[in-house]
Amino acid sequence: MSRDRFERALLKVLKPLVIAFLFLITAFPFLYMVMLSVRDIQELILDPGSLWPRAFTLDTYVNVLTKQGFLTFLRNSAIVAVASVAVTLLISIPGAYAVARLRFFGRRQVHFLFLAVYLFPAIVLAIPLFVLFTMIGLRGSLIGLILVYIAQTVPVTVYMLRNYFETVPRSVEEAAAIDGCTRLSTIWRVVLPLSKPALMATGLYAFMIAWNEFLFALLFLVESRESWTVSLGLSQLAGSIEIPTTVLMAGSVVLTLPIVIVFFAGERLLTEGLTAGAEKG
């Protein structure tokens, strides 16, 4: 057997094994968390080493969603996350297109100044924002939290979309202009359909930031329980000695599951390019 055929045969065997191994070590913590969340606390105390429960129970989820108020927290997090994604993309799309296609003074400097926001740790901005939001009456408000998340995500989404917009062939846009499309209609009818994978990736990034963020949610909403997000509610469960481990795990599943669902729902757009038929630059 030649060396090439041997290497191909070896890779053919190792590839599924490596994929299975990586999947196992990645999925096992989440699986264990789910198994703990559907166990009775008495069974867990008597047999803490068992992975598979003898009997499944959903009482932990009923407790989390009703008694602990996670239905309200889920609603708040959904409002914050969806609004943050929508406004972030609304601002980032024209901004990224302008940096990618238009020529203006200071274009390169503006591009890198967007990322300069991340030179400052979040805690440095927390106190000034706390004082500002207190003065203008936005502390304890979901609107204030949405504004903070938009400011956090817009710079990096502009950077991500700008890099993708530069890969869209100029000839496609020129053809649209010849057909009578304005700059805005070219973006809407040509650039955005070809950029769906990038839009999905940046939207998912903004969604994850808004859904999981804890520092600013704690700083601005801690005094207003009815406005808490899921991450803030979960920290309250983790800090209470009266909350059973099974209920805490159920809260963790409730926090994690929407991200998993959104990722798998958009996985096709994240992995396949929709530029089929366009000129490749």
Side-chain angles (χ1 to χ4, degrees):
M1 179 181 293
S2 66
R3 179 178 176 180
D4 180 66
R5 293 182 61 186
F6 173 77
E7 290 178 349
R8 288 177 179 274
L10 182 63
L11 288 175
K12 187 176 181 180
V13 174
L14 289 180
K15 182 179 178 180
L17 293 177
V18 172
I19 292 175
F21 174 73
L22 293 176
F23 175 79
L24 181 63
I25 62 176
T26 303
F28 180 76
F30 182 75
L31 175 63
Y32 186 60
M33 181 173 66
V34 173
M35 291 298 100
L36 283 179
S37 70
V38 294
R39 294 183 69 176
D40 183 75
I41 185 60
Q42 298 299 328
E43 179 188 338
L44 179 62
I45 293 173
L46 294 174
D47 189 11
S50 175
L51 176 62
W52 196 263
R54 297 190 187 117
F56 292 89
T57 177
L58 296 178
D59 291 344
T60 52
Y61 288 93
V62 174
N63 187 340
V64 163
L65 294 175
T66 58
K67 294 181 181 179
Q68 305 301 330
F70 267 60
L71 278 176
T72 301
F73 303 158
L74 282 170
R75 182 201 63 194
N76 295 338
S77 287
I79 292 173
V80 170
V82 172
S84 298
V85 171
V87 179
T88 294
L89 290 179
L90 189 64
I91 297 173
S92 299
I93 289 171
Y97 184 84
V99 176
R101 286 289 189 255
L102 305 183
R103 298 293 180 265
F104 53 88
F105 177 75
R107 171 176 171 267
R108 176 177 289 272
Q109 289 75 13
V110 167
H111 174 59
F112 288 106
L113 281 175
F114 274 117
L115 293 183
V117 175
Y118 290 89
L119 295 176
F120 301 95
I123 193 64
V124 174
L125 305 174
I127 296 177
L129 286 174
F130 181 84
V131 174
L132 175 64
F133 281 16
T134 301
M135 293 174 61
I136 63 179
L138 286 180
R139 199 181 78 193
S141 166
L142 294 180
I143 296 177
L145 197 61
I146 292 170
L147 292 176
V148 173
Y149 293 162
I150 292 171
Q152 277 189 305
T153 53
V154 162
V156 72
T157 53
V158 168
Y159 182 82
M160 293 168 66
L161 288 175
R162 174 255 184 185
N163 291 334
Y164 196 91
F165 286 166
E166 288 187 339
T167 67
V168 176
R170 289 180 180 269
S171 60
V172 177
E173 298 180 43
E174 292 168 357
I178 293 175
D179 289 339
C181 289
T182 62
R183 181 77 71 174
L184 288 178
S185 61
T186 299
I187 295 174
W188 178 256
R189 296 182 179 182
V190 177
V191 176
L192 293 187
L194 294 177
S195 304
K196 284 182 180 180
L199 294 176
M200 185 64 202
T202 53
L204 181 61
Y205 166 80
F207 184 88
M208 290 176 62
I209 291 292
W211 187 270
N212 293 323
E213 201 278 332
F214 174 72
L215 175 62
F216 290 111
L218 174 66
L219 192 65
F220 299 139
L221 303 179
V222 67
E223 299 173 354
S224 179
R225 182 181 171 85
E226 65 276 6
S227 298
W228 281 11
T229 57
V230 179
S231 60
L232 198 53
L234 185 63
S235 71
Q236 175 241 350
L237 291 184
S240 175
I241 61 175
E242 300 176 356
I243 301 299
T245 303
T246 52
V247 175
L248 177 60
M249 291 299 101
S252 301
V253 173
V254 169
L255 172 66
T256 308
L257 198 57
I259 295 293
V260 175
I261 293 173
V262 170
F263 174 81
F264 281 106
E267 187 267 342
R268 181 178 63 85
L269 291 180
L270 286 171
T271 55
E272 77 173 21
L274 297 184
T275 56
E279 174 186 330
K280 304 299 181 184

